[in-house]
Amino acid sequence: MNRRQTSIASAEGQAVVLFALFSVVLVGAMALALDVGYLLTERREAQAAADASALAGARALLGGESTASVISTAKSYAKSNGLPAVEADDQTVIAVAVDGDQWDGSVEVDVTKQVRRFFLGALYTGPWQVSAHATAETTDKTDANYILIALDPPGLYVNGSMRITANNGSIISNDNIESSGESNIIVTDGFIDAAGTVEASSQWQAPWGIRERRAPAIDPFAEYLPPAKPLGPAITGNIRCNPHGYEDASYTGTDCNFTPGYYRNARIRIWDVATFAPGLYYFENSSIELRSTTARVEGTGVNFYFAGNPNQSFFDPNNGEVFLTAPGYSADPSLLTVHGDYQDIVIWLDMCPGSTIDSSGNNEFFLGGVLYAPCSEIYLHGNPYGETLNGIAIGSTIEVQGTADMEVTYLPYAPTGSYEVYLTE
């Protein structure tokens, strides 16, 4: 073999050695890339699971569930996103921390997961894991301006061929919204919300959305203190406003001008026009009953507060006319005076369980202020003249039916936000 042949053979031997060395490096790099790529995939999945878990837990918190239930819900959602619901052989740890309450709370989720090794185990035996953190909070960042609020089951029910028009605000039921007939709800600037389901027709409108499974609305007046009983002797007995002898001459009476004060065990029956001077009317075991289509109750700057036995203390518009406004009322929000106490509530039924308020007549029905009956059923039956509420109406349940339009317009007597859940970390 000559020198040239020897040189070629030597070079070929070196190439084989170099190829073998580089093959080891190349295979190692590919193996590392596989392990690292899988690690990053697991990291993304762990973060997605943590995010979903925190959001689900926060929604459960917002729904008023217990801490144990919130934690269980969060872990269940982690499982549905590819993680075990409980710790298993130290391969995955899911830690859930709950803080605060349903209206101002947070759920933190920390996930630590051991990651499978394909080739790395031959070279590295230390920890090989991913971790993820997520925090979701409950907040009332969305100002929903609720006009009609039904606090309890069965919620809000609309029936007939009438239409509810809600101006500058939203409608919410803490249970379901059910409908029948050809009734429509038209919200001009807001939501139609329900903590349960919404049985909406194709004609319903809400520019911000018709939303189911929402967080329930809180009662913005729950902390308001009842008014103090007015000083002076109580007004008692049967009082009749019937100067013209309507319905039955035996019920003739001339007490049609009322002054503020403390009414106890009083029964006020009205066949004509009864005028209530401005001020507080404290009705304890006392009632106001409109007895005919000629009956009318009118008063500006008044507060009707009902307390005591719901079988004795109630306001029954029946087929009569109503025109009442609270102190400081103005249809113009910029001119409205908000007192932040009972003076904003034009009619307050403060009994639990409460008496029913039922406006079922064919005449004018107008309230300016807050209609507050948190433990009572509110029946608003549309009529040819329509029913109008400028303010906020809150009842245990609300039923609206009839054959004509009902118009409700939001006024800012109290903040009524839509509670939401947000990822903050």
Side-chain angles (χ1 to χ4, degrees), residues 103 146 148-156 172-176 195-196 215-222 349 352 371-378 392-399 416:
W103 309 121
Y146 289 123
L148 296 181
I149 302 176
L151 295 173
D152 304 310
L156 173 65
I172 187 169
S173 165
N174 285 355
D175 194 65
N176 299 323
I218 62 171
D219 181 349
F221 305 103
L349 302 181
C352 286
L371 170 57
Y372 187 48
C375 297
S376 300
E377 298 175 341
I378 298 177
I392 300 172
I394 297 178
S396 174
T397 62
I398 300 176
E399 181 174 322
T416 54

Side-chain angles (χ1 to χ4, degrees), residues 75 83-94 112-114:
K75 289 193 173 186
L83 295 177
V86 296
E87 296 82 354
D89 299 328
D90 294 328
Q91 297 301 304
T92 301
V93 176
I94 305 171
T112 303
K113 181 179 181 181
Q114 302 298 322

